Amino acid sequence: MGSALYLMYARGVFEPTQRLILVADDSEGVAVGMDVTFSGFPIGRVRGLRLAEGGEVRIAVDVARRDAHWLRESSVFTLVRGLVGGTTIKAYSGVLSDPPLPDGAVRPVLRGDATAEIPRLMAEARELLENLTQLTAADSALGGAMGNVRTLTERLNAPGGVLSVLTGSDAESRQVLLALQRSNQLLARLDGMAARIDGAVARVDGMVARADRQVLGSETDAGLVAEVRATVLQLNALLGDARRSMAKVDAVLAEAQAVGANTREATVGLGELRAEIEANLRKVEGLLAEINRKWPFARDAELKLP
């Protein structure tokens, strides 16, 4: 009797408990006396099972009052039957600050059966194997794609290489290569023509620069335009001298007409005036000859005297 009493004490028979009712749709694997665990520690024990009027199973669990504070109103209970081992009832409390679970509370049980998933997993595995068999078959789409990849690899390793793959045939790839070669030759010719044109432009620029120096002059040389301008100025001066000489002739002739008595003196004055006019005309002739010599567009170098 003492041993029996001690065993009952060790089992918690005399420990104060509170009742918890768990409702499940299937109680397979649940037995009286199995533990209800929380974080791996037993906090309660199944005391009885009965079938309710609605067909659900009501599992009566005694929870020790010293461990009842781990159960809250938001706690979740699961009934799990694994592939290895027996069935277990577990409690989960996510928010320990919620109100504690009252005595006699009724809570549903979430059931998870690993063995129930085996047929579905086997069916899915069988379907997967069938799909793999179809994919790896010789007449499958994957087989055709692999054949196309092999053909593409062989063509890439062929002499035509990537160009034959892009054009679709070796003949078209050779035409493309020929067109590229002709384009390179044409570009080389265009480069040569451009070089020659640049040389011609440089020569023309040199000729224009020399013409500018010859016509307009430079810092050390006055140039043709400056020389012509100086010659024209000299010619204007000579023409002014000739004009003044002609005025003198007019004055002498007037004096000769007015004074008819002194013919010898008038004749002497006319001779001197004529000599002066001839000297001025010779200067004009020399200046015109100098202009014709310097001016490259003159053609007639003859000077006609009056």
Side-chain angles (χ1 to χ4, degrees):
M1 292 179 60
S3 298
L5 292 174
Y6 178 76
L7 181 60
M8 294 173 64
Y9 174 77
R11 290 286 183 176
V13 175
F14 305 106
E15 185 177 3
T17 60
Q18 71 179 35
R19 183 57 58 91
L20 171 65
I21 305 300
L22 301 178
V23 180
D25 57 353
D26 189 359
S27 63
E28 184 179 358
V30 180
V32 176
M34 67 180 301
D35 294 332
V36 176
T37 61
F38 179 84
S39 299
F41 292 91
I43 61 173
R45 184 174 290 108
V46 177
R47 290 302 181 185
L49 299 169
R50 69 183 182 87
L51 190 62
E53 295 179 358
E56 69 273 7
V57 179
R58 299 176 71 88
I59 304 171
V61 179
D62 289 340
V63 181
R65 291 189 180 277
R66 69 173 187 272
D67 296 326
H69 65 279
W70 297 112
L71 301 179
R72 302 290 173 170
E73 290 186 355
S74 61
S75 297
V76 177
F77 300 91
T78 62
L79 177 62
V80 180
R81 185 168 64 249
L83 295 175
V84 179
T87 304
T88 58
I89 301 176
K90 297 181 180 181
Y92 299 93
S93 298
V95 182
L96 294 177
S97 60
D98 289 345
L101 194 66
D103 189 9
V106 180
R107 290 290 183 271
V109 177
L110 303 177
R111 189 170 62 87
D113 191 356
T115 58
E117 300 293 330
I118 292 177
R120 186 176 63 83
L121 293 176
M122 294 299 295
E124 292 179 355
R126 187 181 299 107
E127 184 179 359
L128 178 60
L129 290 175
E130 291 177 357
N131 293 333
L132 289 176
T133 302
Q134 293 177 0
L135 287 175
T136 56
D139 56 346
S140 63
L142 181 61
M146 294 301 295
N148 293 333
V149 171
R150 187 181 300 108
T151 303
L152 178 62
T153 304
E154 293 176 354
R155 294 186 63 183
L156 288 175
N157 295 328
V162 179
L163 188 59
S164 62
V165 174
L166 294 176
T167 56
S169 63
D170 295 337
E172 292 182 357
S173 64
R174 286 193 294 270
Q175 292 180 0
V176 172
L177 290 175
L178 182 60
L180 290 175
Q181 292 176 357
R182 292 179 178 175
S183 299
N184 292 330
Q185 294 175 359
L186 180 60
L187 289 175
R189 292 179 180 176
L190 290 177
D191 291 337
M193 293 176 62
R196 289 194 293 272
I197 291 173
D198 292 338
V201 170
R203 290 194 294 272
V204 169
D205 292 338
M207 294 174 62
V208 170
R210 289 194 296 271
D212 290 339
R213 288 194 299 270
Q214 292 177 359
V215 174
L216 299 178
S218 61
E219 295 180 355
T220 58
D221 189 6
L224 181 61
V225 172
E227 293 179 356
V228 170
R229 186 181 296 110
T231 305
V232 169
L233 293 176
Q234 294 178 3
L235 180 60
N236 290 330
L238 293 176
L239 290 176
D241 294 339
R243 189 179 297 109
R244 287 191 296 273
S245 299
M246 293 300 295
K248 292 179 180 180
V249 170
D250 292 336
V252 172
L253 290 175
E255 186 179 356
Q257 291 177 358
V259 183
N262 196 0
T263 304
R264 183 176 182 182
E265 292 181 359
T267 303
V268 174
L270 288 173
E272 293 177 354
L273 184 59
R274 181 177 180 84
E276 185 178 356
I277 291 172
E278 289 179 354
N280 290 330
L281 290 177
R282 281 194 296 271
K283 291 180 181 180
V284 172
E285 182 180 1
L287 182 59
L288 291 176
E290 181 69 18
I291 291 174
N292 290 328
R293 184 181 63 82
K294 292 182 179 181
W295 189 257
F297 303 104
R299 291 293 183 269
D300 189 5
E302 182 181 359
L303 178 62
K304 295 180 180 181
L305 298 175

